[in-house]
Amino acid sequence: MRVLIQLRPSPDLVAAVADPSMTATTSDVSDGLPGVVLDQSFTPVAVPRPVPASPTGDPLSLNQPLVYSMAPDQASVVLRGEVSDDEVNVRMSLLPGRRDVVAVYADPVIETSLTCGGDPPVGDWRDVERLMRVAELRAEGLDGSGVTLAVTDTGINAAHVARQLGRATTVDRDRSWSPDGVPGQPGEFAVDHGTMCAFDALIAAPRASLIDIPVLLSERPGGSALDGLLSDAVAAFAHLRTVLDAQPAATRSLVVSNSWGSFSPRWDFPPGHPGNYSDNPAHPFNLIVGSLAEAGADLLFAAGNCGRDCPDGRCAYPDRPITGANSHAKVLSVGGVDVNGHRVGYSSQGPGRLTARKPDICAYTHFAGSCAFGADSPDSGTSAACPVAAGLVAAIRTQWPASRLSPGQLRTLLRRSADDRGELGYDYDYGYGIVDVAGIIGALRSRADRAA
């Protein structure tokens, strides 16, 4: 079983791992752990410690203000390794005798959010462009100019995206990142799921600068071309934190679109187990997600394609399929509707596992667009809905950086302005409703008038 091992080494070693100008190795952090085969190819990642903003707060509650400390005497370091399936014995051998071992967590498989498929496209991307009121956004100066939009997926083929959109596409090669061992250059990967996501994000934010993060191309024994390991996402998000921190505080903006998730408990420890991912706010990835959002990033995750009407064949959770970071309180969990406003049957329904009120909102999917899977195949799944919503967030950030409108405030604006569908108020099918760009523009104008 693949696992993440959380260690608390000496503060100077934690500082070295956290320093983006230095490259620490697994052997620098640990010379070996009993019962664990450490992955020497994995670059150690520093993980912040959540500290309640209030002295009486709970550091594991996602619904209260937290400060994520990267101080060397508080942060920890994560390594990747493999253990036998007899994980109880491994934990018993590690924890009592090693004071530097904090915990052992699951490193589950993460997969793209594809669709159960078969139905033809409903409308095309021009319909999405109209529904997202892109012309009105552009008139407001909201087109993604100067905004960094990361697509964590299977890699982007920028030339294909540019051809389909009929305009230039910018990929920031210097700030892109790939897992160890993944060949290829940013913006030059094979046309696939990540290319679809990039296309869909640029519908509402045509001038955004893309960061290519092909986290799903990492190789594992027996894996497919469309899955990876959560440990690579941990490393990717640590990289994105350095990207964010390097930006001027006054104009900081980073939007991260994640059309993937963990759909099966097979690769995870069971809920309630200290090493679990799906339900555990203390898992290193869930901590890094929270810290990146608190630092000023907008994080969007696909709700998944495990809706009761038409679940993807890989869906193995008997209920509550929105798991882990896809259900984190500090992300937008995005469900899917077609261009007629009808919920697509595969869009996962809540409640979420970390936070009950998931999905947050719905955006458009199942339309003809990128042609990433062929001319007759739609951009589908909540995989398409997520980057459509991410593009809207990137467009907003053109004039409203995190210093002017925090990620939490923007999430609230999107929820409150959403076009309510289904039951009155929040429901587990549509969340707060479908993104309403006219309502968002009006709310932003009102906010600007109050600040004037």
Side-chain angles (χ1 to χ4, degrees), residues 90-124:
V90 171
R91 285 182 56 80
M92 291 300 290
S93 67
L94 278 175
L95 296 179
R98 296 293 300 255
R99 294 182 59 186
D100 57 335
V101 177
V102 178
V104 179
Y105 294 99
D107 183 13
V109 170
I110 55 175
E111 302 173 273
T112 54
S113 296
L114 296 173
T115 178
C116 49
D119 293 338
V122 180
D124 62 25

PDB file of all heavy atoms in Angstrom, residues 90-124:
ATOM      1  N   VAL A  90       2.554  -2.137  10.876  1.00  0.00           N
ATOM      2  CA  VAL A  90       3.492  -1.091  10.481  1.00  0.00           C
ATOM      3  C   VAL A  90       3.375   0.102  11.409  1.00  0.00           C
ATOM      4  O   VAL A  90       4.358   0.644  11.903  1.00  0.00           O
ATOM      5  CB  VAL A  90       3.239  -0.666   9.016  1.00  0.00           C
ATOM      6  CG1 VAL A  90       4.059   0.566   8.666  1.00  0.00           C
ATOM      7  CG2 VAL A  90       3.582  -1.806   8.078  1.00  0.00           C
ATOM      8  N   ARG A  91       2.158   0.532  11.653  1.00  0.00           N
ATOM      9  CA  ARG A  91       1.952   1.683  12.537  1.00  0.00           C
ATOM     10  C   ARG A  91       2.479   1.382  13.941  1.00  0.00           C
ATOM     11  O   ARG A  91       3.085   2.234  14.589  1.00  0.00           O
ATOM     12  CB  ARG A  91       0.468   2.054  12.604  1.00  0.00           C
ATOM     13  CG  ARG A  91      -0.027   2.769  11.355  1.00  0.00           C
ATOM     14  CD  ARG A  91      -1.484   3.140  11.505  1.00  0.00           C
ATOM     15  NE  ARG A  91      -1.711   3.940  12.693  1.00  0.00           N
ATOM     16  CZ  ARG A  91      -1.474   5.235  12.788  1.00  0.00           C
ATOM     17  NH1 ARG A  91      -0.979   5.886  11.756  1.00  0.00           N
ATOM     18  NH2 ARG A  91      -1.716   5.884  13.903  1.00  0.00           N
ATOM     19  N   MET A  92       2.249   0.168  14.420  1.00  0.00           N
ATOM     20  CA  MET A  92       2.709  -0.191  15.765  1.00  0.00           C
ATOM     21  C   MET A  92       4.228  -0.193  15.839  1.00  0.00           C
ATOM     22  O   MET A  92       4.818   0.125  16.874  1.00  0.00           O
ATOM     23  CB  MET A  92       2.153  -1.559  16.155  1.00  0.00           C
ATOM     24  CG  MET A  92       0.641  -1.572  16.383  1.00  0.00           C
ATOM     25  SD  MET A  92       0.117  -0.449  17.694  1.00  0.00           S
ATOM     26  CE  MET A  92       0.787  -1.309  19.113  1.00  0.00           C
ATOM     27  N   SER A  93       4.883  -0.549  14.735  1.00  0.00           N
ATOM     28  CA  SER A  93       6.344  -0.578  14.743  1.00  0.00           C
ATOM     29  C   SER A  93       6.936   0.814  14.582  1.00  0.00           C
ATOM     30  O   SER A  93       8.025   1.101  15.056  1.00  0.00           O
ATOM     31  CB  SER A  93       6.867  -1.495  13.633  1.00  0.00           C
ATOM     32  OG  SER A  93       6.574  -0.959  12.354  1.00  0.00           O
ATOM     33  N   LEU A  94       6.213   1.698  13.878  1.00  0.00           N
ATOM     34  CA  LEU A  94       6.732   3.033  13.639  1.00  0.00           C
ATOM     35  C   LEU A  94       6.535   3.971  14.821  1.00  0.00           C
ATOM     36  O   LEU A  94       7.473   4.596  15.294  1.00  0.00           O
ATOM     37  CB  LEU A  94       6.028   3.645  12.422  1.00  0.00           C
ATOM     38  CG  LEU A  94       6.537   3.269  11.035  1.00  0.00           C
ATOM     39  CD1 LEU A  94       5.612   3.884   9.995  1.00  0.00           C
ATOM     40  CD2 LEU A  94       7.947   3.781  10.835  1.00  0.00           C
ATOM     41  N   LEU A  95       5.304   4.098  15.269  1.00  0.00           N
ATOM     42  CA  LEU A  95       4.959   5.185  16.174  1.00  0.00           C
ATOM     43  C   LEU A  95       5.599   5.095  17.552  1.00  0.00           C
ATOM     44  O   LEU A  95       6.111   6.099  18.049  1.00  0.00           O
ATOM     45  CB  LEU A  95       3.438   5.299  16.283  1.00  0.00           C
ATOM     46  CG  LEU A  95       2.753   5.688  14.963  1.00  0.00           C
ATOM     47  CD1 LEU A  95       1.254   5.763  15.160  1.00  0.00           C
ATOM     48  CD2 LEU A  95       3.271   7.030  14.478  1.00  0.00           C
ATOM     49  N   PRO A  96       5.605   3.924  18.226  1.00  0.00           N
ATOM     50  CA  PRO A  96       6.155   3.929  19.587  1.00  0.00           C
ATOM     51  C   PRO A  96       7.649   4.200  19.640  1.00  0.00           C
ATOM     52  O   PRO A  96       8.136   4.820  20.576  1.00  0.00           O
ATOM     53  CB  PRO A  96       5.835   2.522  20.104  1.00  0.00           C
ATOM     54  CG  PRO A  96       4.770   1.990  19.201  1.00  0.00           C
ATOM     55  CD  PRO A  96       5.040   2.625  17.872  1.00  0.00           C
ATOM     56  N   GLY A  97       8.382   3.748  18.623  1.00  0.00           N
ATOM     57  CA  GLY A  97       9.832   3.845  18.711  1.00  0.00           C
ATOM     58  C   GLY A  97      10.438   5.030  17.993  1.00  0.00           C
ATOM     59  O   GLY A  97      11.632   5.254  18.088  1.00  0.00           O
ATOM     60  N   ARG A  98       9.640   5.794  17.276  1.00  0.00           N
ATOM     61  CA  ARG A  98      10.169   6.904  16.495  1.00  0.00           C
ATOM     62  C   ARG A  98       9.430   8.187  16.868  1.00  0.00           C
ATOM     63  O   ARG A  98       8.316   8.442  16.423  1.00  0.00           O
ATOM     64  CB  ARG A  98      10.007   6.615  14.992  1.00  0.00           C
ATOM     65  CG  ARG A  98      10.801   5.419  14.481  1.00  0.00           C
ATOM     66  CD  ARG A  98      12.300   5.694  14.555  1.00  0.00           C
ATOM     67  NE  ARG A  98      12.693   6.842  13.765  1.00  0.00           N
ATOM     68  CZ  ARG A  98      13.330   6.750  12.600  1.00  0.00           C
ATOM     69  NH1 ARG A  98      13.635   5.571  12.098  1.00  0.00           N
ATOM     70  NH2 ARG A  98      13.667   7.843  11.943  1.00  0.00           N
ATOM     71  N   ARG A  99      10.061   9.008  17.657  1.00  0.00           N
ATOM     72  CA  ARG A  99       9.409  10.228  18.106  1.00  0.00           C
ATOM     73  C   ARG A  99       9.222  11.227  16.969  1.00  0.00           C
ATOM     74  O   ARG A  99       8.394  12.136  17.050  1.00  0.00           O
ATOM     75  CB  ARG A  99      10.238  10.879  19.214  1.00  0.00           C
ATOM     76  CG  ARG A  99      10.307  10.040  20.492  1.00  0.00           C
ATOM     77  CD  ARG A  99      11.108  10.749  21.564  1.00  0.00           C
ATOM     78  NE  ARG A  99      10.515  12.055  21.905  1.00  0.00           N
ATOM     79  CZ  ARG A  99      11.087  12.912  22.729  1.00  0.00           C
ATOM     80  NH1 ARG A  99      12.272  12.639  23.268  1.00  0.00           N
ATOM     81  NH2 ARG A  99      10.495  14.067  23.008  1.00  0.00           N
ATOM     82  N   ASP A 100      10.011  11.062  15.884  1.00  0.00           N
ATOM     83  CA  ASP A 100       9.899  12.005  14.782  1.00  0.00           C
ATOM     84  C   ASP A 100       8.741  11.682  13.852  1.00  0.00           C
ATOM     85  O   ASP A 100       8.373  12.489  13.003  1.00  0.00           O
ATOM     86  CB  ASP A 100      11.200  12.047  13.983  1.00  0.00           C
ATOM     87  CG  ASP A 100      11.606  10.683  13.442  1.00  0.00           C
ATOM     88  OD1 ASP A 100      11.190   9.666  14.032  1.00  0.00           O
ATOM     89  OD2 ASP A 100      12.360  10.648  12.453  1.00  0.00           O
ATOM     90  N   VAL A 101       8.126  10.488  13.982  1.00  0.00           N
ATOM     91  CA  VAL A 101       7.008  10.115  13.127  1.00  0.00           C
ATOM     92  C   VAL A 101       5.710  10.660  13.728  1.00  0.00           C
ATOM     93  O   VAL A 101       5.325  10.292  14.833  1.00  0.00           O
ATOM     94  CB  VAL A 101       6.916   8.583  12.956  1.00  0.00           C
ATOM     95  CG1 VAL A 101       5.694   8.219  12.121  1.00  0.00           C
ATOM     96  CG2 VAL A 101       8.182   8.054  12.287  1.00  0.00           C
ATOM     97  N   VAL A 102       5.054  11.534  12.985  1.00  0.00           N
ATOM     98  CA  VAL A 102       3.791  12.105  13.457  1.00  0.00           C
ATOM     99  C   VAL A 102       2.633  11.177  13.122  1.00  0.00           C
ATOM    100  O   VAL A 102       1.790  10.873  13.967  1.00  0.00           O
ATOM    101  CB  VAL A 102       3.554  13.486  12.816  1.00  0.00           C
ATOM    102  CG1 VAL A 102       2.213  14.064  13.258  1.00  0.00           C
ATOM    103  CG2 VAL A 102       4.692  14.442  13.162  1.00  0.00           C
ATOM    104  N   ALA A 103       2.579  10.720  11.872  1.00  0.00           N
ATOM    105  CA  ALA A 103       1.452   9.887  11.449  1.00  0.00           C
ATOM    106  C   ALA A 103       1.765   9.250  10.107  1.00  0.00           C
ATOM    107  O   ALA A 103       2.691   9.666   9.395  1.00  0.00           O
ATOM    108  CB  ALA A 103       0.171  10.714  11.348  1.00  0.00           C
ATOM    109  N   VAL A 104       0.987   8.221   9.765  1.00  0.00           N
ATOM    110  CA  VAL A 104       1.068   7.552   8.471  1.00  0.00           C
ATOM    111  C   VAL A 104      -0.307   7.666   7.822  1.00  0.00           C
ATOM    112  O   VAL A 104      -1.310   7.282   8.416  1.00  0.00           O
ATOM    113  CB  VAL A 104       1.466   6.072   8.620  1.00  0.00           C
ATOM    114  CG1 VAL A 104       1.515   5.399   7.256  1.00  0.00           C
ATOM    115  CG2 VAL A 104       2.802   5.948   9.334  1.00  0.00           C
ATOM    116  N   TYR A 105      -0.341   8.224   6.601  1.00  0.00           N
ATOM    117  CA  TYR A 105      -1.609   8.491   5.925  1.00  0.00           C
ATOM    118  C   TYR A 105      -1.696   7.730   4.606  1.00  0.00           C
ATOM    119  O   TYR A 105      -0.685   7.381   4.001  1.00  0.00           O
ATOM    120  CB  TYR A 105      -1.748   9.985   5.620  1.00  0.00           C
ATOM    121  CG  TYR A 105      -1.859  10.866   6.836  1.00  0.00           C
ATOM    122  CD1 TYR A 105      -0.732  11.552   7.311  1.00  0.00           C
ATOM    123  CD2 TYR A 105      -3.057  11.025   7.499  1.00  0.00           C
ATOM    124  CE1 TYR A 105      -0.823  12.375   8.421  1.00  0.00           C
ATOM    125  CE2 TYR A 105      -3.160  11.850   8.612  1.00  0.00           C
ATOM    126  CZ  TYR A 105      -2.043  12.517   9.069  1.00  0.00           C
ATOM    127  OH  TYR A 105      -2.137  13.331  10.167  1.00  0.00           O
ATOM    128  N   ALA A 106      -2.929   7.541   4.156  1.00  0.00           N
ATOM    129  CA  ALA A 106      -3.166   6.933   2.854  1.00  0.00           C
ATOM    130  C   ALA A 106      -2.678   7.854   1.744  1.00  0.00           C
ATOM    131  O   ALA A 106      -2.740   9.078   1.854  1.00  0.00           O
ATOM    132  CB  ALA A 106      -4.652   6.644   2.674  1.00  0.00           C
ATOM    133  N   ASP A 107      -2.196   7.249   0.666  1.00  0.00           N
ATOM    134  CA  ASP A 107      -1.827   7.958  -0.557  1.00  0.00           C
ATOM    135  C   ASP A 107      -2.696   7.394  -1.675  1.00  0.00           C
ATOM    136  O   ASP A 107      -2.237   6.635  -2.526  1.00  0.00           O
ATOM    137  CB  ASP A 107      -0.339   7.742  -0.856  1.00  0.00           C
ATOM    138  CG  ASP A 107       0.132   8.521  -2.082  1.00  0.00           C
ATOM    139  OD1 ASP A 107      -0.616   9.404  -2.541  1.00  0.00           O
ATOM    140  OD2 ASP A 107       1.244   8.231  -2.571  1.00  0.00           O
ATOM    141  N   PRO A 108      -3.993   7.737  -1.673  1.00  0.00           N
ATOM    142  CA  PRO A 108      -4.921   7.075  -2.594  1.00  0.00           C
ATOM    143  C   PRO A 108      -4.724   7.476  -4.037  1.00  0.00           C
ATOM    144  O   PRO A 108      -4.144   8.536  -4.346  1.00  0.00           O
ATOM    145  CB  PRO A 108      -6.296   7.529  -2.088  1.00  0.00           C
ATOM    146  CG  PRO A 108      -6.033   8.828  -1.416  1.00  0.00           C
ATOM    147  CD  PRO A 108      -4.662   8.694  -0.802  1.00  0.00           C
ATOM    148  N   VAL A 109      -5.226   6.635  -4.921  1.00  0.00           N
ATOM    149  CA  VAL A 109      -5.248   6.947  -6.345  1.00  0.00           C
ATOM    150  C   VAL A 109      -6.220   8.098  -6.576  1.00  0.00           C
ATOM    151  O   VAL A 109      -7.291   8.165  -5.988  1.00  0.00           O
ATOM    152  CB  VAL A 109      -5.687   5.709  -7.148  1.00  0.00           C
ATOM    153  CG1 VAL A 109      -5.962   6.067  -8.604  1.00  0.00           C
ATOM    154  CG2 VAL A 109      -4.628   4.626  -7.060  1.00  0.00           C
ATOM    155  N   ILE A 110      -5.831   9.045  -7.425  1.00  0.00           N
ATOM    156  CA  ILE A 110      -6.720  10.113  -7.855  1.00  0.00           C
ATOM    157  C   ILE A 110      -6.929   9.967  -9.352  1.00  0.00           C
ATOM    158  O   ILE A 110      -6.018   9.616 -10.088  1.00  0.00           O
ATOM    159  CB  ILE A 110      -6.173  11.500  -7.499  1.00  0.00           C
ATOM    160  CG1 ILE A 110      -4.754  11.708  -8.048  1.00  0.00           C
ATOM    161  CG2 ILE A 110      -6.188  11.704  -5.990  1.00  0.00           C
ATOM    162  CD1 ILE A 110      -4.197  13.103  -7.823  1.00  0.00           C
ATOM    163  N   GLU A 111      -8.163  10.242  -9.801  1.00  0.00           N
ATOM    164  CA  GLU A 111      -8.524   9.987 -11.190  1.00  0.00           C
ATOM    165  C   GLU A 111      -9.317  11.151 -11.753  1.00  0.00           C
ATOM    166  O   GLU A 111      -9.971  11.898 -11.022  1.00  0.00           O
ATOM    167  CB  GLU A 111      -9.350   8.702 -11.294  1.00  0.00           C
ATOM    168  CG  GLU A 111      -8.633   7.476 -10.739  1.00  0.00           C
ATOM    169  CD  GLU A 111      -9.538   6.260 -10.693  1.00  0.00           C
ATOM    170  OE1 GLU A 111     -10.240   6.087  -9.686  1.00  0.00           O
ATOM    171  OE2 GLU A 111      -9.538   5.502 -11.673  1.00  0.00           O
ATOM    172  N   THR A 112      -9.281  11.275 -13.076  1.00  0.00           N
ATOM    173  CA  THR A 112     -10.068  12.303 -13.737  1.00  0.00           C
ATOM    174  C   THR A 112     -11.546  12.054 -13.515  1.00  0.00           C
ATOM    175  O   THR A 112     -11.988  10.916 -13.350  1.00  0.00           O
ATOM    176  CB  THR A 112      -9.795  12.291 -15.246  1.00  0.00           C
ATOM    177  OG1 THR A 112     -10.023  10.972 -15.744  1.00  0.00           O
ATOM    178  CG2 THR A 112      -8.375  12.716 -15.541  1.00  0.00           C
ATOM    179  N   SER A 113     -12.330  13.133 -13.548  1.00  0.00           N
ATOM    180  CA  SER A 113     -13.779  13.024 -13.385  1.00  0.00           C
ATOM    181  C   SER A 113     -14.421  12.907 -14.767  1.00  0.00           C
ATOM    182  O   SER A 113     -14.943  13.871 -15.318  1.00  0.00           O
ATOM    183  CB  SER A 113     -14.325  14.247 -12.648  1.00  0.00           C
ATOM    184  OG  SER A 113     -13.814  14.324 -11.351  1.00  0.00           O
ATOM    185  N   LEU A 114     -14.369  11.715 -15.339  1.00  0.00           N
ATOM    186  CA  LEU A 114     -14.998  11.496 -16.639  1.00  0.00           C
ATOM    187  C   LEU A 114     -16.504  11.316 -16.464  1.00  0.00           C
ATOM    188  O   LEU A 114     -17.030  11.371 -15.359  1.00  0.00           O
ATOM    189  CB  LEU A 114     -14.387  10.272 -17.322  1.00  0.00           C
ATOM    190  CG  LEU A 114     -12.897  10.392 -17.678  1.00  0.00           C
ATOM    191  CD1 LEU A 114     -12.365   9.064 -18.180  1.00  0.00           C
ATOM    192  CD2 LEU A 114     -12.681  11.466 -18.725  1.00  0.00           C
ATOM    193  N   THR A 115     -17.209  11.082 -17.549  1.00  0.00           N
ATOM    194  CA  THR A 115     -18.667  10.939 -17.485  1.00  0.00           C
ATOM    195  C   THR A 115     -19.093   9.530 -17.846  1.00  0.00           C
ATOM    196  O   THR A 115     -18.359   8.789 -18.479  1.00  0.00           O
ATOM    197  CB  THR A 115     -19.335  11.930 -18.449  1.00  0.00           C
ATOM    198  OG1 THR A 115     -20.744  11.725 -18.404  1.00  0.00           O
ATOM    199  CG2 THR A 115     -18.880  11.712 -19.869  1.00  0.00           C
ATOM    200  N   CYS A 116     -20.331   9.170 -17.441  1.00  0.00           N
ATOM    201  CA  CYS A 116     -20.851   7.853 -17.834  1.00  0.00           C
ATOM    202  C   CYS A 116     -21.205   7.835 -19.303  1.00  0.00           C
ATOM    203  O   CYS A 116     -21.433   6.792 -19.881  1.00  0.00           O
ATOM    204  CB  CYS A 116     -22.046   7.473 -16.976  1.00  0.00           C
ATOM    205  SG  CYS A 116     -23.300   8.723 -16.805  1.00  0.00           S
ATOM    206  N   GLY A 117     -21.280   8.992 -19.930  1.00  0.00           N
ATOM    207  CA  GLY A 117     -21.232   9.122 -21.380  1.00  0.00           C
ATOM    208  C   GLY A 117     -22.375   8.504 -22.150  1.00  0.00           C
ATOM    209  O   GLY A 117     -23.308   7.937 -21.613  1.00  0.00           O
ATOM    210  N   GLY A 118     -22.269   8.635 -23.477  1.00  0.00           N
ATOM    211  CA  GLY A 118     -23.260   8.074 -24.364  1.00  0.00           C
ATOM    212  C   GLY A 118     -24.187   9.109 -24.959  1.00  0.00           C
ATOM    213  O   GLY A 118     -24.574   9.011 -26.126  1.00  0.00           O
ATOM    214  N   ASP A 119     -24.574  10.101 -24.197  1.00  0.00           N
ATOM    215  CA  ASP A 119     -25.484  11.120 -24.703  1.00  0.00           C
ATOM    216  C   ASP A 119     -24.716  12.136 -25.547  1.00  0.00           C
ATOM    217  O   ASP A 119     -23.572  12.485 -25.241  1.00  0.00           O
ATOM    218  CB  ASP A 119     -26.174  11.845 -23.548  1.00  0.00           C
ATOM    219  CG  ASP A 119     -27.114  10.944 -22.778  1.00  0.00           C
ATOM    220  OD1 ASP A 119     -27.548   9.931 -23.354  1.00  0.00           O
ATOM    221  OD2 ASP A 119     -27.405  11.251 -21.610  1.00  0.00           O
ATOM    222  N   PRO A 120     -25.343  12.643 -26.609  1.00  0.00           N
ATOM    223  CA  PRO A 120     -24.660  13.636 -27.452  1.00  0.00           C
ATOM    224  C   PRO A 120     -24.537  14.973 -26.733  1.00  0.00           C
ATOM    225  O   PRO A 120     -25.184  15.207 -25.697  1.00  0.00           O
ATOM    226  CB  PRO A 120     -25.581  13.738 -28.670  1.00  0.00           C
ATOM    227  CG  PRO A 120     -26.928  13.355 -28.154  1.00  0.00           C
ATOM    228  CD  PRO A 120     -26.676  12.302 -27.111  1.00  0.00           C
ATOM    229  N   PRO A 121     -23.712  15.884 -27.259  1.00  0.00           N
ATOM    230  CA  PRO A 121     -23.579  17.196 -26.623  1.00  0.00           C
ATOM    231  C   PRO A 121     -24.908  17.947 -26.594  1.00  0.00           C
ATOM    232  O   PRO A 121     -25.760  17.785 -27.474  1.00  0.00           O
ATOM    233  CB  PRO A 121     -22.568  17.919 -27.523  1.00  0.00           C
ATOM    234  CG  PRO A 121     -21.872  16.838 -28.297  1.00  0.00           C
ATOM    235  CD  PRO A 121     -22.855  15.733 -28.450  1.00  0.00           C
ATOM    236  N   VAL A 122     -25.066  18.754 -25.556  1.00  0.00           N
ATOM    237  CA  VAL A 122     -26.211  19.663 -25.459  1.00  0.00           C
ATOM    238  C   VAL A 122     -25.669  21.076 -25.638  1.00  0.00           C
ATOM    239  O   VAL A 122     -25.045  21.630 -24.739  1.00  0.00           O
ATOM    240  CB  VAL A 122     -26.923  19.525 -24.103  1.00  0.00           C
ATOM    241  CG1 VAL A 122     -28.112  20.488 -24.023  1.00  0.00           C
ATOM    242  CG2 VAL A 122     -27.367  18.093 -23.859  1.00  0.00           C
ATOM    243  N   GLY A 123     -25.850  21.652 -26.828  1.00  0.00           N
ATOM    244  CA  GLY A 123     -25.307  22.961 -27.117  1.00  0.00           C
ATOM    245  C   GLY A 123     -23.803  22.916 -27.340  1.00  0.00           C
ATOM    246  O   GLY A 123     -23.186  21.838 -27.392  1.00  0.00           O
ATOM    247  N   ASP A 124     -23.198  24.087 -27.492  1.00  0.00           N
ATOM    248  CA  ASP A 124     -21.764  24.144 -27.712  1.00  0.00           C
ATOM    249  C   ASP A 124     -21.143  25.237 -26.848  1.00  0.00           C
ATOM    250  O   ASP A 124     -21.827  25.910 -26.071  1.00  0.00           O
ATOM    251  CB  ASP A 124     -21.424  24.344 -29.191  1.00  0.00           C
ATOM    252  CG  ASP A 124     -21.963  25.654 -29.761  1.00  0.00           C
ATOM    253  OD1 ASP A 124     -22.182  26.610 -28.998  1.00  0.00           O
ATOM    254  OD2 ASP A 124     -22.163  25.722 -30.993  1.00  0.00           O
TER     255      ASP A 124
END
